[in-house]
Amino acid sequence: LSKTYFVLGLAQLSLGDARSASASFQSALDHKPSDPDILSNLGICYESLGEHEKALTFFNDLLKADPRSANYLYHSAINALAVGRAQEAADALLQAHYWKPEDARILFMLGSAYGTLGDYGRSIDYSQQAIMRDPHLTDAYRNLNKLESEKNQEETSNQENSK
């Protein structure tokens, strides 16, 4: 029965119905309470529904069992960033990058996290690395242009203040 609910949840999630998918995954979880695949997909549902604190709790719990999972680290970081915990997100993404250095999504999110923290040099560097790994990351291009503009504004402001 758990597998039936799990497969149903995957289908619902792939159709963009995170609310129904979360109910299906919850039913699957009732039959297999510690299944990491069910827990991970339930976390993704909460992430999709904008329930970032709840999703963050799921992914952080999963990380206790598998601290080297780049996927869990990535999703933990997305949700940490969404609730304003940019340093926590950057730390998780650095760990994810260590375990999966070729993943352009991780590099892109590192760029976003460092941009949020105001570290434009690192942000630009990670965004450029993401684009080199996957030239189709249009969000990375937009982010890079925005960051370079913010960095230039900050430098201009600092020059004016020092006069």
Side-chain angles (χ1 to χ4, degrees):
L1 200 52
S2 175
K3 185 175 181 175
T4 302
Y5 284 120
F6 180 74
V7 172
L8 178 60
L10 288 176
Q12 292 164 323
L13 192 57
S14 72
L15 293 172
D17 187 357
R19 188 148 323 277
S20 295
S22 68
S24 295
F25 289 131
Q26 191 60 57
S27 294
L29 201 58
D30 291 343
H31 297 282
K32 286 180 88 176
S34 58
D35 185 299
D37 291 331
I38 297 170
L39 291 166
S40 174
N41 280 288
L42 194 51
I44 290 170
C45 287
Y46 291 130
E47 182 179 301
S48 297
L49 293 168
E51 297 178 35
H52 298 290
E53 285 287 354
K54 203 170 193 177
L56 186 57
T57 299
F58 269 86
F59 287 109
N60 286 342
D61 286 347
L62 285 163
L63 282 165
K64 291 173 187 167
D66 187 2
R68 295 179 179 177
S69 170
N71 188 46
Y72 298 162
L73 288 160
Y74 173 79
H75 282 285
S76 176
I78 286 174
N79 290 289
L81 201 54
V83 296
R85 292 163 31 193
Q87 187 61 58
E88 181 181 337
D91 293 344
L93 288 162
L94 285 171
Q95 290 177 53
H97 179 56
Y98 177 82
W99 296 113
K100 203 170 180 185
E102 74 286 352
D103 193 321
R105 298 172 316 140
I106 293 169
L107 291 165
F108 169 69
M109 289 307 297
L110 266 165
S112 295
Y114 280 115
T116 301
L117 290 168
D119 188 338
Y120 299 115
R122 278 185 174 167
S123 183
I124 290 168
D125 181 50
Y126 283 117
S127 295
Q128 288 173 334
Q129 287 182 52
I131 292 166
M132 286 184 351
R133 293 262 193 315
D134 183 354
H136 302 290
L137 276 176
T138 55
D139 288 341
Y141 281 110
R142 272 195 301 273
N143 192 41
L144 184 59
N145 290 333
K146 181 182 123 196
L147 290 164
E148 287 174 340
S149 173
E150 288 175 6
K151 180 181 177 187
N152 290 338
Q153 288 175 355
E154 187 175 278
E155 288 172 354
T156 301
S157 177
N158 288 341
Q159 289 173 353
E160 290 173 359
N161 289 338
S162 66
K163 291 181 180 178

